Amino acid sequence: VQLQASGGGLVQAGDSLRLSCAASGLTFSSFVMGWFRQAPGKEREFVAAIARRGGNTWYEDSVKGRFTISRDNAKNTVSLQMNNLKPEDTAVYYCAADERLILGRLREASAYGYWGQGTQVTVSS
């Protein structure tokens, strides 16, 4: 399984970015997909997740209403549209996947078995 995240960059507060994660080597529609982020000196934290068929999504409270997770099972991709970015959103963003994920644990990084390499998002004030 390989996950390749892209789309990060340096933006100003209030701007938007769209992160993408391309997956290969897996039956994509069988995997719950998530996005996590890690700021310097902090633990990796949950951002958003999406169910296998995309019918359900979950968000960390601070990003609700600003971020949208989506997936395209035909293209094996998951995206994170980030609007109204804030300096506190600055972090390395990682996509994650797991086939056997128990939905009660989807906010736990340890529940995901596969990770991408991360993409840096920097938001200046």
Side-chain angles (χ1 to χ4, degrees), residues 76-111:
N76 287 11
T77 58
V78 60
S79 298
L80 186 68
Q81 177 66 42
M82 305 186 295
N83 298 329
N84 190 23
L85 283 161
K86 303 177 180 181
E88 52 264 42
D89 295 319
T90 295
V92 177
Y93 283 70
Y94 299 88
C95 59
D98 201 86
E99 188 175 20
R100 296 183 177 85
L101 183 67
I102 299 172
L103 295 184
R105 296 190 62 206
L106 60 84
R107 297 172 186 271
E108 301 175 24
S110 61

Side-chain angles (χ1 to χ4, degrees), residues 38-107:
Q38 189 166 18
K42 294 187 177 181
E43 293 186 354
R44 193 167 297 190
E45 67 171 359
F46 171 78
V47 175
I50 188 166
R52 294 170 177 83
R53 297 184 182 273
N56 289 295
T57 57
W58 299 268
Y59 297 93
E60 194 267 331
D61 285 346
S62 70
V63 308
K64 284 181 181 177
R66 300 189 297 122
F67 291 11
T68 303
I69 188 171
S70 60
R71 66 189 295 161
D72 185 336
N73 284 353
K75 297 182 178 179
N76 287 11
T77 58
V78 60
S79 298
L80 186 68
Q81 177 66 42
M82 305 186 295
N83 298 329
N84 190 23
L85 283 161
K86 303 177 180 181
E88 52 264 42
D89 295 319
T90 295
V92 177
Y93 283 70
Y94 299 88
C95 59
D98 201 86
E99 188 175 20
R100 296 183 177 85
L101 183 67
I102 299 172
L103 295 184
R105 296 190 62 206
L106 60 84
R107 297 172 186 271

